[in-house]
Amino acid sequence: MSAPPRVLTVAGSDSGGGAGIQADLKTMLALGTHGMSVVTAVTAQNSRGVQGAWELPAEAVRAQYRSVVDDIGVQAVKTGMLASAELVETVAELLAATDAPAVVDPVGVSKHGDPLLAASALDSVRTRLLPAATVATPNLDEVAQLTGVRVESEQDLRRAADAVLAYGPRWVLIKGGHLAGDAVDLLTDGSEEHWLRAPRHDNRHTHGTGCTLASAVACGLAKGQSVPEAVTAAKEYVTGAIAAGFALGAGIGPVDHGWRLRGQAAG
């Protein structure tokens, strides 16, 4: 049997299983790809927040990446929590030398507001990581952190996209999930625009949404889809995962990465 499309996540571990490497690998399995991982940091994390985080040495990150890419190969790479300027620059260098599309989720803070990226690393994200991205997927807080642009309404999404594109990614997906009303995202390369809308589900259990969306985009690209096709399919998948999100622990539960599989089993 031939192997499924191969997708590599370069991100932090979430011990609670809702976000990070764990969410990425669940998404990749659910979407019919073979997920592989480079762990950049280990977090002590649960439904209530991040209690601790320890980044791995750049040498360990580089060794994991080369081990996978040089032997198995990849058809798409997704990045998440990179923590420090050294790790951002290490991963940016690796991406630039890899002939595969890269989805960059510029993770700055957790769902609970815990910082996951050192302030000193922001310039490296702007100047090294974003230029290596096929698609960058910042949320509104990350847009403000990287560009200073604050999005108050849907009309501001275009200005936010322009500000991120100025740093060099080929496409940017501005995630408007924090705005009121429908969940509206803007995907653009500066000339083409795609507005993606989905009903907002009244469900507080949304831990891992950003990781899941970026991983789903990477899965689509690994399958040979265009960026708009991959992002549209990813939006549909994550909307269903949010709708099926479930309570876990005493805080914010995760989205359900296996919602389609559960639906098929029930049917």
Side-chain angles (χ1 to χ4, degrees), residues 26-102:
K26 291 173 189 177
T27 300
M28 292 165 189
L29 178 64
L31 295 180
T33 65
H34 175 68
M36 305 169 292
S37 62
V38 171
V39 179
T40 61
V42 175
T43 69
Q45 189 171 167
N46 57 27
S47 69
R48 291 179 292 182
V50 179
Q51 291 78 46
W54 300 267
E55 68 181 82
L56 269 68
E59 175 188 5
V61 170
R62 186 179 292 107
Q64 291 175 81
Y65 191 99
R66 289 263 61 94
S67 177
V68 170
V69 173
D70 294 347
D71 173 49
I72 301 171
V74 294
Q75 283 147 313
V77 183
K78 175 261 175 184
T79 72
M81 176 186 177
L82 300 180
S84 68
E86 184 181 18
L87 287 185
V88 169
E89 290 169 15
T90 297
V91 171
E93 178 187 320
L94 291 165
L95 290 179
T98 303
D99 185 21

Side-chain angles (χ1 to χ4, degrees), residues 105-164:
D105 186 16
V107 175
V109 295
S110 77
K111 178 70 70 179
H112 306 84
D114 303 293
L116 298 176
L117 180 71
S120 57
L122 285 172
D123 198 51
S124 297
V125 172
R126 296 181 191 108
T127 62
R128 299 290 302 278
L129 189 61
L130 288 176
T134 307
V135 191
T137 65
N139 64 29
L140 302 186
D141 291 336
E142 290 154 358
V143 168
Q145 194 177 34
L146 290 166
T147 71
V149 173
R150 301 203 172 274
V151 176
E152 308 290 344
S153 68
E154 194 176 308
Q155 288 70 36
D156 295 330
L157 291 176
R158 189 176 284 119
R159 187 163 55 90
D162 289 342
V164 177

